[in-house]
Amino acid sequence: MVDPSDETRRTFLKLTGAAIGTTGFVGIAASDTATTTNHAWSSFQNDTGNTGSSSDGNDPGPGAWVDWSEQVSDRGLYSPTVVDGIAYVSDSSGGITAFDVDSRNACWTTHIRGLDYAPTVVGDIVYVAGTDLVALSAEDGSERWRFEIGIIESSPVTVADGIAFFKTSDVNGQGACWAIDTETGTKQWQVRLPSGKDGETPSAENVPPAVVDGTAYFADKKTVYALDATDGQPQWQASTDGMIDHAPTVANDTVYVSGRKTFALSTEDGAARWTTDLGDSTRLSQSPAVTDDTVVVTDGARARIWALAADDGTVRWTVGTLDGSAGTPSIADGTTYVPITRDSGDGLGAFDLRSGDQKWWVPVRNLDTSSLPPAIDDGIYIADREGFLYSVADPEWLDWRANGIGSMDVGENVYLQNDALRALDTETGKKRWREEGDTPPVSANGMVYETDWSAVVAYSPDGTQQWRSECDGGVTTVPAVTDDRVVVGGDGWVTAFDATTGVHAWTSTGDCGGLGSVDTVATHDKTAFALVNGRVVALDAEGERWSAGDGVRAVAVDDAVYTGTDCNEVVAYDFDGTELWRVTLEDGDTVTSLVPDDGLYAVTSDVTSTGTDSRDWLVSLDDGSVSWTFHPKFLPFGSLCEPVVADETVYVGASDRRVYALSASDGAERRRFETGGEVESVAVDDERTYATSDGTYAFR
C-alpha cells in the first residue's frame, strides 16, 4: 500500500498550471447534493458525490420483473439518468434521447460528437460532454450553449453551485480538469494533470469528478486530486497502489476509491482513514456505492460483490460465487443493485444490503461487460448494449413465474412437455403432477392427450390416466383431437382412436401401404389430413381419399384444409381435394405454421444471408387475401412461435423475449408482455395468457 502523506500538498503544487477563467463565480444551487426533484437520478451516480445511493427509491420486492423494455436506439446504450418522468440516455454513436417513461415514447433525439456515458440534468438543462461541453434544453433538445474543447475523451458532467465540472483526456493521454459556468458557458478554470503517455494511459470516459462542500475531487492514474471548486486551486493529492479508472465517491467526509485495494481518504487532507485488501485477481474498476454506514464494491473480473463498513473498511459480507463480471452498483431501500454479465445470461441482481442475500434477479438481453449503474427513480432503469432501456418493477400484469419450459397447452391446468408431461396449477404455477411423455400436449374434452413413444395416453386434470392405446410403432406427430377422435401418425401409418375411451377406430397405411413417414396430422369430422413427403394426404377408415400439393410444410383444418409450402404459398382445399384459392406471401420464403380461427394466420420465415438467423412474419389471411402483416418493430432477425387466437386477439411470442397481443382485425398491438428469453410457445384461457421462455409465465 502507498499511503497518502504530508508531501501530497507540496507535490500537488507542481501541477503544470491552474488557469483561472475571467468569469466570476455564479451560484444557483443551494446544496452540493441537491437534485431537481425528490424522485430523480439526475447524473451518472445520482448526486454530486457520486454516491450511487438514493433515499427515495423503493425496492419492488420478490415480484420484481421487467415492467417494460423499449429499444431506444439500434446502438448500445449507456446508463440513463431519470428526472421528472423522462429518461435521458445516450448511445455509442453520440445520440442522446429524452424518453418519456410513462408514454414510452421518445420526446426528442439529438447527436453530440464524441458523447459517451450518462448526461446530467439540472433544472431545465441537460449537460453532455463529448468533444465539446454542450447544454441542451430538457424540453426539446435544442442547444442553449456550447463550450468548445476539441478533446478526444470526456467524462460525464457533475454540476454543483452553478458550475459544470468534468475531466478530459487528449490523444496523448493528457488529463485535464475543467469548470464551466453554467449560466454563460464560459470557462471558470482549467487544471492540467501530470499524466500522459508514460505508463498506463488514463481514461476520462467513466470518471466524473465528485463535488462536495466546495471541493472538486478528480481521479487520474493512481492519484486523487482535491481542487477548490471556485478557482481550481490545489488542496491536496493522494496516491493509491493501482490505477483508479472509475469515478471517486465522496460521502461521510471521506473519498472512496479503489486501486488494487479499496481506500477511504479524508476529505480534509487525503490521509488514509483505512485500506481494505479484497484479494488477488480483482478488477476494482467500478465506482463504489456508499450509504451512511456501508460501502459496496464490485469486481469486474469475477462478478464478486463486497459490502464494507464505511467507518473502518471491515468486510461485512461477500457474494463470490457468480461467474462473469459485476458492474457499478446502486443502492436504495436497503438493497444494492448490480448489473452482472455471466455465461448463463446477463441481468440485474438485487442483494440485501445487510446480509448480501440475493433478493431477486431480472434478466437483461445483453450487457456486454457493461459496468454502468442502474438509475433508481419511481422504478429501476437499466440500459443494455442492444439499445434497450428497461424499467424494473413489480408488474401488475404478471401473475406468476415458474420453472419449466417446453411445448405448452392449457385446460384445467397448464400443461408443459419437454422431457416429460407436467401439469401446473393455473392460479399459482405450482406443479400438480408429472408423467412420462414425448410430444407436445393437447388439451380438449376435459382431458390432456400426449404420446409415450408408441402409445397415445389421455389423462384427467388430476393426473389420473384415463386410457392408454398402443400404435403400430413410434408416434411422429402431435395428437390431433376433435370431440370424438384422437388421430396420430407414424412411419407409414395414421391411426384414429375414440377420444373418450381410447378404443381403436381405424388405421390407414395409404394406397398399397405406401404412405411414408408422417410429419404432421390434422383432423376434421372422420377424416385425417397427413403431411407426408411434402404433400397433404386425406385418409379415413376406407383408406386414402386424395392427395395434393408440393413442398407442403404445414397443414391445418377448419372450414377448409389449409397448407403452407416451402415456396411461401398458402393453398386452401375443399374437403374433397378441390383447390379453393392460392396466395403467395410477399414476406419470407417458407410458411412454417398455420392457425385457422375466424380467418387464417400464417407464420412465414426466411434465413438471413449468414445462414445462421431466421426472420419471421405473422400474416393474417381472409379468403386468400392478406389482411395484415406483423413483425416486431425492433427485431430485424428472429423467430415467432405459433400464434393462438382468443376473443378477437392474436397472441404470438418472439425471440425478442416478448409476447404480443394483436388485434385480430388489423394487427394493431394491444398489449405486450416481457419474458426472460426467446418465447417458444403461448396459450390462452379465460383468465390469463401463458408463455414458455426461460421459464413459464402467466400474464393477467
Side-chain angles (χ1 to χ4, degrees):
M1 179 188 75
V2 180
D3 279 328
S5 69
D6 293 337
E7 296 296 318
T8 58
R9 184 181 299 270
R10 292 194 296 273
T11 304
F12 195 109
L13 296 176
K14 297 178 183 178
L15 292 176
T16 56
I20 310 302
T22 58
T23 305
F25 175 69
V26 179
I28 62 171
S31 169
D32 283 341
T33 58
T35 54
T36 56
T37 66
N38 287 333
H39 288 277
W41 189 280
S42 60
S43 63
F44 179 71
Q45 283 184 280
N46 187 39
D47 52 37
T48 63
N50 295 330
T51 65
S53 180
S54 169
S55 60
D56 298 313
N58 295 312
D59 184 75
W65 195 248
V66 178
D67 190 26
W68 54 260
S69 68
E70 295 288 348
Q71 194 172 23
V72 177
S73 171
D74 59 1
R75 305 294 182 92
L77 297 180
Y78 299 111
S79 57
T81 52
V82 184
V83 176
D84 293 335
I86 305 297
Y88 301 87
V89 61
S90 58
D91 66 32
S92 58
S93 69
I96 177 173
T97 298
F99 188 84
D100 189 306
V101 300
D102 292 324
S103 68
R104 285 149 63 179
N105 290 313
C107 302
W108 52 261
T109 298
T110 190
H111 283 77
I112 304 296
R113 187 162 60 95
L115 172 63
D116 285 316
Y117 293 91
T120 297
V121 184
V122 177
D124 61 352
I125 302 296
V126 182
Y127 299 91
V128 289
T131 54
D132 298 325
L133 175 66
V134 184
L136 305 172
S137 165
E139 181 178 5
D140 59 14
S142 60
E143 186 174 312
R144 293 284 186 89
W145 53 257
R146 176 183 295 262
F147 179 78
E148 295 185 359
I149 312 169
I151 209 70
I152 187 66
E153 196 171 76
S154 299
S155 76
V157 181
T158 303
V159 177
D161 293 332
I163 302 177
F165 302 86
F166 61 102
K167 179 191 170 188
T168 62
S169 296
D170 64 18
V171 292
N172 297 314
Q174 174 69 59
C177 310
W178 298 79
I180 307 299
D181 187 285
T182 59
E183 286 290 317
T184 62
T186 57
K187 183 170 67 175
Q188 188 84 6
W189 50 260
Q190 175 194 1
V191 172
R192 290 182 294 275
L193 300 174
S195 56
K197 284 188 173 180
D198 295 338
E200 296 176 273
T201 301
S203 169
E205 286 186 339
N206 63 341
V207 287
V211 185
V212 176
D213 295 334
T215 301
Y217 302 89
F218 291 80
D220 190 71
K221 279 197 170 181
K222 299 180 179 181
T223 306
V224 176
Y225 300 93
L227 309 176
D228 187 285
T230 59
D231 58 18
Q233 290 298 321
Q235 304 299 303
W236 52 260
Q237 74 179 59
S239 296
T240 66
D241 64 348
M243 177 72 77
I244 307 170
D245 53 3
H246 59 79
T249 299
V250 178
N252 314 317
D253 298 322
T254 304
V255 183
Y256 300 94
V257 291
S258 294
R260 293 190 182 93
K261 306 170 186 175
T262 296
F263 292 80
L265 311 175
S266 168
T267 56
E268 182 178 356
D269 58 9
R273 298 184 187 276
W274 53 258
T275 301
T276 299
D277 189 344
L278 298 175
D280 297 331
S281 302
T282 58
R283 183 161 63 87
L284 306 179
S285 55
Q286 280 68 257
S287 300
V290 181
T291 63
D292 289 340
D293 59 359
T294 305
V295 180
V296 177
V297 180
T298 57
D299 181 3
R302 287 192 286 173
R304 291 179 289 186
I305 307 168
W306 296 268
L308 312 178
D311 57 354
D312 62 8
T314 302
V315 177
R316 289 179 170 168
W317 54 260
T318 302
V319 175
T321 59
L322 305 173
D323 64 284
S325 174
T328 304
S330 298
I331 297 174
D333 197 16
T335 308
T336 183
Y337 307 95
V338 183
I340 296 172
T341 61
R342 60 185 190 182
D343 294 341
S344 57
D346 300 348
L348 180 66
F351 302 87
D352 186 276
L353 198 58
R354 292 299 176 193
S355 66
D357 294 337
Q358 182 171 306
K359 300 173 72 172
W360 49 260
W361 171 269
V362 172
V364 176
R365 289 173 178 85
N366 179 17
L367 290 173
D368 191 25
T369 68
S370 172
S371 64
L372 305 180
I376 301 171
D377 189 48
D378 292 332
I380 301 172
Y381 300 92
I382 187 169
D384 76 1
R385 304 303 286 169
E386 299 288 341
F388 284 88
L389 176 67
Y390 301 77
S391 171
V392 176
D394 185 356
E396 62 178 10
W397 45 262
L398 180 59
D399 262 1
W400 52 261
R401 288 180 287 133
N403 293 329
I405 60 175
S407 301
M408 167 187 286
D409 203 357
V410 63
E412 292 190 36
N413 299 306
V414 176
Y415 299 104
L416 296 177
Q417 210 296 322
N418 191 342
D419 55 348
L421 175 65
R422 280 161 289 178
L424 307 181
D425 187 278
T426 58
E427 296 287 334
T428 65
K430 292 182 179 179
K431 186 175 75 173
R432 296 192 62 190
W433 50 267
R434 178 185 185 277
E435 293 290 345
E436 297 301 316
D438 296 315
T439 56
V442 177
S443 177
N445 307 320
M447 292 190 285
V448 60
Y449 304 89
E450 60 128 25
T451 67
D452 181 10
W453 174 233
S454 63
V456 179
V457 190
Y459 298 96
S460 62
D462 64 2
T464 303
Q465 181 176 302
Q466 296 299 300
W467 54 262
R468 177 187 181 95
S469 297
E470 293 293 331
C471 301
D472 292 338
V475 180
T476 59
T477 72
V478 176
V481 184
T482 64
D483 291 343
D484 58 358
R485 287 286 185 267
V486 178
V487 180
V488 293
D491 187 8
W493 53 266
V494 170
T495 295
F497 301 96
D498 184 278
T500 302
T501 64
V503 172
H504 179 268
W506 54 263
T507 295
S508 177
T509 58
D511 287 345
C512 302
L515 183 60
S517 183
V518 180
D519 296 319
T520 304
V521 66
T523 186
H524 175 78
D525 198 10
K526 298 183 183 300
T527 304
F529 302 91
L531 175 55
V532 182
N533 297 326
R535 293 178 63 80
V536 59
V537 182
L539 304 156
D540 61 15
E542 304 301 321
E544 183 174 324
R545 302 281 299 277
W546 55 266
S547 67
D550 182 36
V552 175
R553 296 284 298 273
V555 60
V557 177
D558 188 26
D559 55 355
V561 181
Y562 301 101
T563 63
T565 75
D566 57 13
C567 293
N568 215 35
E569 288 183 322
V570 177
V571 186
Y573 299 94
D574 200 349
F575 292 109
D576 62 4
T578 302
E579 183 176 315
L580 300 175
W581 52 260
R582 176 185 299 258
V583 62
T584 301
L585 305 181
E586 293 184 3
D587 297 307
D589 294 327
T590 301
V591 177
T592 57
S593 66
L594 294 168
V595 174
D597 194 315
D598 292 329
L600 181 66
Y601 303 92
V603 174
T604 177
S605 179
D606 69 8
V607 178
T608 64
S609 58
T610 62
T612 58
D613 295 307
S614 64
R615 175 169 45 192
D616 291 357
W617 291 263
L618 175 62
V619 182
S620 172
L621 296 160
D622 185 14
D623 290 331
S625 298
V626 174
S627 301
W628 51 262
T629 300
F630 169 78
H631 181 77
K633 183 177 180 182
F634 296 111
L635 186 62
F637 309 115
S639 59
L640 301 175
C641 73
E642 185 172 288
V644 296
V645 186
D647 296 328
E648 299 183 350
T649 302
V650 184
Y651 299 86
V652 64
S655 59
D656 67 356
R657 303 188 175 191
R658 294 168 173 161
V659 175
Y660 294 89
L662 310 173
S663 166
S665 62
D666 59 11
E669 183 179 318
R670 289 178 169 173
R671 294 199 68 185
R672 179 191 305 171
F673 306 105
E674 302 276 348
T675 75
E678 180 174 346
V679 180
E680 297 183 8
S681 61
V682 294
V684 179
D685 64 14
D686 292 338
E687 300 293 329
R688 299 172 185 84
T689 302
Y690 305 89
T692 59
S693 174
D694 57 327
T696 302
Y697 296 78
F699 306 121
R700 192 174 309 141

